[in-house]
């Protein structure tokens, strides 16, 4: 009974995290007339305060000294910070420039890109259904390129930057709160320097648009930290496979907002491209669930060692796609 309650609580936290990431396109336009780079810099500066407060409450400081003695990890954190800067910046810009639907596509195709990177960079092996899903995803991008009259560069930048970020996070093997803290520490001084320069040029909106605008810019730290805390609470209560399914909640909400609230155009070619993406994700999800059931049966001893003919171990990239979701989500 206790385990069931814990899992139910974990699901609520998971829906809360991905739900907040899904509706965040409603928040960024409230920060105008601040530009995307100014918003991004404020997000970096105020995020450090939010995660620092969380660490203070949880008393989780011991990892910092150990991190400073590992130059390789520090180098990976610099690369991760650069990638998440690109991801956050492009996302904020796209939302404030009428491209919410194209941004949502980036997070739809992200699991496919993650798996492709696992094959290319980590030598992971895919099952036939996974190859089919990746192939359909590539076809979808080509169809969307025709529909947009150009490659969907916002989607591709978001998907590849987030997938590469997830790959680095996998190598870092740090907790979500700790790694985000380290990344924001690295980004804090450049972001603060940019905001001070912007103010010196008379172009900052922080103090020029009233107290409400200043409060909204400061709240970007909470907008970053609160979903992460919810995700962390979910991650310790529900299986990774469940989190992998929940991660689609955010782009579904984003897509719905783009079409129904922001009234972005969806000509037939775009519907065709998105439909192909959803088919690919359906295949990928079905294959992951089938593999999870098979592995569970193996652990319980109901199948012979090695499983049925043709059964293979689950692809690590699937777990990576689920586990990394909080860091790059919007």
């Amino acid at each position: 009974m206790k385990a069931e309650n814990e899992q139910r609580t974990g699901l609520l936290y998971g829906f809360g995290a991905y739900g907040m990431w899904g509706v965040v396109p409603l928040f960024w336009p409230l920060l105008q007339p601040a530009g995307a780079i100014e918003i991004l810099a404020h997000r970096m500066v105020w995020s450090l305060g939010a995660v620092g407060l969380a660490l203070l409450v949880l008393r989780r400081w011991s990892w910092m000294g150990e991190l400073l003695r590992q130059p390789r990890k520090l180098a990976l954190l610099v690369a991760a910070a650069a990638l998440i800067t690109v991801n956050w910046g492009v996302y904020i810009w796209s939302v404030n420039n009428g491209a919410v639907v194209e941004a949502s596509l980036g997070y739809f195709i992200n699991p496919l890109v993650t798996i492709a990177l696992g094959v290319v960079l980590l030598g992971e092996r895919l099952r036939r259904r996974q190859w089919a899903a990746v192939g359909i995803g590539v076809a979808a991008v080509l169809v969307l390129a025709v529909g947009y009259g150009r490659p969907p560069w916002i989607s591709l930048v978001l998907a590849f930057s987030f997938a590469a970020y997830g790959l680095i996070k996998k190598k870092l093997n740090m907790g979500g709160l700790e790694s985000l803290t380290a990344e924001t520490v690295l980004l804090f001084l450049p972001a603060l320097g940019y905001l001070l320069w912007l103010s010196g040029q008379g172009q900052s909106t922080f103090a020029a648009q009233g107290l409400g605008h200043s409060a909204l810019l400061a709240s970007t730290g909470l907008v970053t930290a609160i979903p992460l805390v919810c995700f962390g609470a979910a991650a310790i209560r529900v299986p990774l496979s469940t989190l992998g399914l929940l991660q689609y909640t955010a782009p579904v909400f984003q897509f719905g907002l783009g079409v129904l609230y922001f009234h972005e155009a969806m000509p037939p070619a775009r519907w065709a491209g998105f439909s192909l993406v959803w088919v690919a994700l359906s295949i990928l999800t079905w294959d992951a669930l089938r593999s999870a059931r098979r592995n569970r049966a193996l652990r319980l001893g109901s199948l012979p060692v090695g499983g049925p003919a043709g059964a293979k171990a689950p692809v690590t990239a699937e777990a990576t796609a689920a586990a990394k979701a909080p860091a790059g989500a919007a």
Side-chain angles (χ1 to χ4, degrees), residues 146-196:
V146 173
Y148 280 105
R150 56 170 175 79
W153 68 269
I154 293 173
S155 308
L156 295 174
V157 169
L158 290 175
F160 276 92
S161 61
F162 198 22
Y165 177 79
L167 186 64
I168 292 175
K169 297 280 275 191
K170 179 181 176 181
K171 291 182 178 295
L172 279 170
N173 194 27
M174 293 176 65
L177 185 58
E178 289 83 357
S179 61
L180 182 62
T181 302
E183 290 156 21
T184 48
V185 166
L186 290 170
L187 296 170
F188 177 79
L189 286 179
L192 181 62
Y194 174 76
L195 291 176
L196 292 174

Side-chain angles (χ1 to χ4, degrees), residues 18-255:
Y18 287 109
M20 282 184 276
W21 284 322
V23 300
V24 78
L26 296 174
F27 177 72
W28 301 125
L30 299 178
L31 304 181
Q32 294 176 339
I37 299 178
E38 184 182 0
I39 295 171
L40 176 62
H42 275 287
R43 185 176 187 179
M44 293 170 178
V45 168
W46 296 106
S47 290
L48 182 59
V51 296
L53 181 61
L55 287 175
L56 184 64
V57 171
L58 297 172
R59 298 186 178 184
R60 283 159 57 176
W61 303 100
S62 58
W63 57 274
M64 290 186 175
E66 183 181 347
L67 177 62
L68 292 173
R69 295 189 292 271
Q70 301 181 64
R72 181 177 176 276
K73 265 196 172 183
L74 285 172
L76 287 173
L77 278 168
V78 170
L83 286 166
I84 202 60
T85 298
V86 171
N87 189 272
W88 282 356
V90 171
Y91 185 80
I92 294 168
W93 182 90
S94 64
V95 170
N96 285 353
N97 284 272
V100 175
V101 168
E102 190 175 347
S104 75
L105 175 64
Y107 294 110
F108 274 126
I109 66 175
N110 176 70
L112 300 170
V113 174
T114 298
I115 288 178
L117 287 183
V119 172
V120 174
L121 300 179
L122 302 180
E124 294 173 350
R125 297 176 60 189
L126 301 188
R127 294 180 287 274
R128 282 175 295 182
R129 280 179 290 272
Q130 292 171 318
W131 276 117
V134 172
I136 293 171
V138 172
V141 170
L142 294 176
V143 170
L144 286 163
V146 173
Y148 280 105
R150 56 170 175 79
W153 68 269
I154 293 173
S155 308
L156 295 174
V157 169
L158 290 175
F160 276 92
S161 61
F162 198 22
Y165 177 79
L167 186 64
I168 292 175
K169 297 280 275 191
K170 179 181 176 181
K171 291 182 178 295
L172 279 170
N173 194 27
M174 293 176 65
L177 185 58
E178 289 83 357
S179 61
L180 182 62
T181 302
E183 290 156 21
T184 48
V185 166
L186 290 170
L187 296 170
F188 177 79
L189 286 179
L192 181 62
Y194 174 76
L195 291 176
L196 292 174
W197 175 84
L198 204 64
S199 180
Q201 298 294 310
Q203 299 177 26
S204 172
T205 66
F206 183 71
Q209 298 294 320
L211 186 60
H213 180 73
S214 301
L216 282 171
L217 285 172
S219 69
T220 55
L222 291 176
V223 169
T224 299
I226 291 176
L228 176 66
V229 172
C230 290
F231 178 86
I236 61 176
R237 290 175 171 86
V238 298
L240 270 182
S241 58
T242 303
L243 287 179
L245 295 177
L246 286 176
Q247 74 175 323
Y248 299 128
T249 306
V252 166
F253 281 9
Q254 293 163 9
F255 176 81

